């Protein structure tokens, strides 16, 4: 054991020595992530995992390693504020798969596709997740996307849809609260263990679930805000979204389904400017159906075959069937509502809901969501900001989200320019996390 410890110490020293050496990345197009114009033929310096200089011309430190990025485009790594991590294992799905090892695997999948931080929302067990965060912070795990999570709140027998609930019930994940008093006591407990954000479900699933009452969610939001915590609210009807925004929810999750937004709601959005995790692409036909290697590369062949063979369209479940009867209606409402949400001031942030059902690929959904936003009217630069700078702001990550001096060197090197075509975020040449190149090839070998 002593010998092993010695070699581990030696290996970490080597890593530190490597990390401290300055690396100059030069000649690339640099997308900063804050919506400003890209720097053409730009240069940046990375040292100790952080960006120490960036611009068109900079003074490179003597003796630095140089990396030529001519013809490449660099953008900040993404931050995904809404997934459900830990239950997918590609041959099986459920609570039995929830281990630190599997959480890590999902975070490596997120890193592979260019996401530096991944937040699991409402479906991760508290103690195990806190432990995972401590272990990841102390360097116990190989490099992966950084794990964030939020506890979830629902009335007894409410909350996640039936598939996710089966998994979360087995691990007693959902905090079931019936009264304002219970809710406040639970939020106080969460604040005590350092929780910075929680999720509430306000949804009766078409009359089949108990719905959280205004009394309870008002108490949760009020108590959370008193303690500097943020509240994510799942709500899918116009009335419920209005109600949670009025009550002060900080982050809206999902679209209003089947209804056009009205002036009262738009005025409310103008006043409150909530963050908005759209998770649009979850309602689309899965990208795996397009036979695009970008989506298939990290999935076992058996999973791809199973998805292709599934032709019945069900909400959330990946399938390759023909569009369902309400697809056209959904698109029409989306085309109406989306630009109005944005114009009214909803602050769009990246979220994908990946892992909520079996068959989703962690990490690739981000690229689908970006493309959907652009299709619905965002510019590529706005879409990138919503996937980088804004979610960093939401999560309070002051050292992430843009390419700037002092920020962690979390970035993607792309073979083509996503400002010209947002689909080019998929042309990933390499991913760097805290200045170190993520070994995508080794991961692919492991997953296949
Ligand atoms: Zn979700």
């Amino acid at each position: 054991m002593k010998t092993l410890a010695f070699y581990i110490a030696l290996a970490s020293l080597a890593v530190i020595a490597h990390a401290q050496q300055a690396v100059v990345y030069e000649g690339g197009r640099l997308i900063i992530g804050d919506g400003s114009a890209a720097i053409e033929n730009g240069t940046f310096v990375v040292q100790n995992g952080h960006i120490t200089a960036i611009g068109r011309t900079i003074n490179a430190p003597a003796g630095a390693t140089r990396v030529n990025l001519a013809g490449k485009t660099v953008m900040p790594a993404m931050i995904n504020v809404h997934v459900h991590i830990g239950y997918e294992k590609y041959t099986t799905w459920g609570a039995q798969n929830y281990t630190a090892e599997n959480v890590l695997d999902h975070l490596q999948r997120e890193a592979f596709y260019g996401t530096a931080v991944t937040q699991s929302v409402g479906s991760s067990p508290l103690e195990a997740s806190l432990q995972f965060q401590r272990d990841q912070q102390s360097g116990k795990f190989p490099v992966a996307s950084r794990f964030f999570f939020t506890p979830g709140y629902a009335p007894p027998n409410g909350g996640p849809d039936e598939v996710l609930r089966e998994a979360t019930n087995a691990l007693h994940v959902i905090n079931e609260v019936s009264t304002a008093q219970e809710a406040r006591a639970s939020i106080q407990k969460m604040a005590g263990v350092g929780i910075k954000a929680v999720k509430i479900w306000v949804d009766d699933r078409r009359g089949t679930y108990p719905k959280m009452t205004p009394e309870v969610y008002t108490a949760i939001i009020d108590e959370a805000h008193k303690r500097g915590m943020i509240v994510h609210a799942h709500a899918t009807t116009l009335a419920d979204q209005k109600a949670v925004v009025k009550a002060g929810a900080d982050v809206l999750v999902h679209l209003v389904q089947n209804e056009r937004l009205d002036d009262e709601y738009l005025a409310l959005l103008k006043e409150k400017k909530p963050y908005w995790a759209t998770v649009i692409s979850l309602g689309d036909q899965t990208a795996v159906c397009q036979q695009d290697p970008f989506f298939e590369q990290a999935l076992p062949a058996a999973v791809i075959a199973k998805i292709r063979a599934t032709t019945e369209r069900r909400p959330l479940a990946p399938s390759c069937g023909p569009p369902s009867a309400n697809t056209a209606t959904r698109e029409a409402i989306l085309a109406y509502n989306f630009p109005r949400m944005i114009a009214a001031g909803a602050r769009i942030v990246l979220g994908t809901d990946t892992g909520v059902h079996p068959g989703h690929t962690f990490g690739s959904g981000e690229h689908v969501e970006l493309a959907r936003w652009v299709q619905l009217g965002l510019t590529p630069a706005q879409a990138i900001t919503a996937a980088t700078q804004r979610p960093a702001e939401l999560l309070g990550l002051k050292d992430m989200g843009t390419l700037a001096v002092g920020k962690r060197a979390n970035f993607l090197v792309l073979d083509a320019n996503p400002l010209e075509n947002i689909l080019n975020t998929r042309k990933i040449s390499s991913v760097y996390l805290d200045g170190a190149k993520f070994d995508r090839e080794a991961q692919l070998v492991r997953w296949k």
Side-chain angles (χ1 to χ4, degrees):
M1 280 311 284
K2 268 188 183 162
T3 319
L4 181 64
F6 173 74
Y7 281 115
I8 290 172
L10 209 63
S12 14
L13 280 178
V15 168
I16 290 163
H18 178 76
Q20 282 173 345
Q21 196 194 5
V23 181
V24 180
Y25 297 88
E26 50 196 356
R29 173 183 300 106
L30 310 181
I31 298 173
I32 305 306
D34 61 359
S36 64
I39 302 174
E40 300 293 334
N41 196 9
T43 299
F44 61 104
V45 181
V46 173
Q47 198 161 10
N48 295 326
H50 287 73
I51 296 170
T52 56
I54 183 164
R56 204 175 301 270
T57 52
I58 55 136
N59 292 321
T65 307
R66 287 171 179 270
V67 177
N68 183 0
L69 295 182
K72 308 281 189 194
T73 299
V74 180
M75 64 173 267
M78 295 181 283
I79 295 172
N80 185 341
V81 305
H82 195 112
V83 302
H84 299 284
I85 229 162
Y87 299 113
E88 174 67 74
K89 212 154 185 189
Y90 294 107
T91 46
T92 61
W93 195 93
Q96 75 278 12
N97 295 333
Y98 201 99
T99 60
E101 188 190 6
N102 204 36
V103 169
L104 179 65
D105 178 77
H106 294 168
L107 295 170
Q108 288 173 320
R109 289 171 190 273
E110 290 286 343
F112 176 87
Y113 281 109
T115 297
V117 179
T118 306
Q119 179 165 260
S120 191
V121 182
S123 57
S124 291
L126 181 66
E127 290 306 326
S129 298
L130 289 169
Q131 185 61 44
F132 188 96
Q133 284 188 319
R134 284 191 291 267
D135 288 343
Q136 189 177 38
Q137 243 167 9
S138 70
K140 185 178 166 187
F141 301 131
V143 178
S145 191
R146 195 196 288 187
F147 179 61
F148 270 58
F149 77 101
T150 77
Y153 284 86
N157 303 313
D161 83 299
E162 55 184 6
V163 174
L164 183 59
R165 209 174 66 178
E166 201 181 307
T168 54
N169 274 358
L171 300 180
H172 308 289
V173 168
I174 309 302
N175 300 281
E176 296 188 335
V177 287
S178 305
T179 66
Q181 244 175 342
E182 278 173 26
R184 285 186 189 276
S186 179
I187 294 290
Q188 288 162 14
K189 196 190 92 188
M190 293 300 174
V193 294
I195 296 297
K196 296 276 183 269
V198 295
K199 171 182 180 172
I200 55 174
W201 279 272
V202 181
D203 193 348
D204 68 1
R205 312 264 173 193
R206 295 170 194 267
T208 63
Y209 271 38
K211 186 157 87 177
M212 185 178 279
T213 64
E215 187 211 356
V216 170
Y217 62 70
T218 303
I220 289 177
I221 293 168
D222 179 60
E223 196 65 37
H225 285 177
K226 270 185 197 158
R227 284 151 212 287
M229 294 156 78
I230 275 170
V231 179
H232 296 242
H234 162 118
T236 62
T237 68
L238 181 56
D240 287 338
Q241 283 208 356
K242 274 184 195 171
V244 296
V245 171
K246 231 179 241 173
D250 305 279
V251 188
L252 281 166
V253 186
H254 292 293
L255 312 159
V256 166
Q257 320 268 354
N258 309 321
E259 292 164 275
R260 291 187 171 208
L261 307 184
D262 60 17
D263 290 341
E264 185 194 6
Y265 188 38
L266 296 175
L268 196 56
L269 291 171
K270 252 181 203 133
E271 180 200 334
K272 302 275 194 176
K273 298 198 168 31
Y275 290 93
W276 184 33
T278 50
V279 297
I280 295 170
S281 55
L282 202 75
D284 299 344
Q285 187 190 63
T286 172
V288 169
C289 306
Q290 294 150 17
Q291 316 219 341
D292 181 341
F294 179 75
F295 297 98
E296 294 184 4
Q297 59 187 330
L299 276 176
V303 174
I304 296 166
K306 193 177 164 198
I307 292 171
R308 293 246 173 83
T310 308
T311 53
E312 185 205 347
R313 291 288 296 272
R314 276 169 300 142
L316 313 187
S319 72
C320 292
S324 66
N326 72 358
T327 299
T329 314
R330 176 177 184 263
E331 288 305 314
I333 288 173
L334 199 46
Y336 182 89
N337 287 351
F338 182 90
R340 285 171 175 79
M341 285 285 284
I342 300 296
R347 290 183 281 175
I348 191 165
V349 285
L350 182 62
T352 56
D353 237 348
T354 309
V356 71
H357 272 219
H360 296 293
T361 319
F362 284 93
S364 61
E366 279 85 331
H367 299 267
V368 180
E369 199 73 10
L370 258 65
R372 276 300 234 152
W373 291 343
V374 171
Q375 182 199 15
L376 291 164
L378 290 194
T379 66
Q382 288 169 333
I384 289 169
T385 297
T388 57
Q389 184 191 41
R390 198 168 303 114
E393 168 193 299
L394 170 62
L395 297 184
L397 294 164
K398 294 196 168 59
D399 58 355
M400 289 202 206
T402 59
L403 301 181
V405 171
K407 303 284 183 183
R408 286 174 184 274
N410 295 332
F411 59 91
L412 278 73
V413 178
L414 304 171
D415 289 328
N417 183 1
L419 299 176
E420 278 171 9
N421 181 349
I422 195 66
L423 300 183
N424 288 338
T425 61
R426 304 170 188 194
K427 304 219 165 107
I428 300 173
S429 170
S430 46
V431 173
Y432 288 80
L433 296 176
D434 290 348
K437 192 173 181 178
F438 184 75
D439 193 344
R440 301 179 80 234
E441 289 71 25
Q443 288 296 336
L444 271 190
V445 169
R446 199 163 69 78
W447 289 326
K448 279 292 177 183

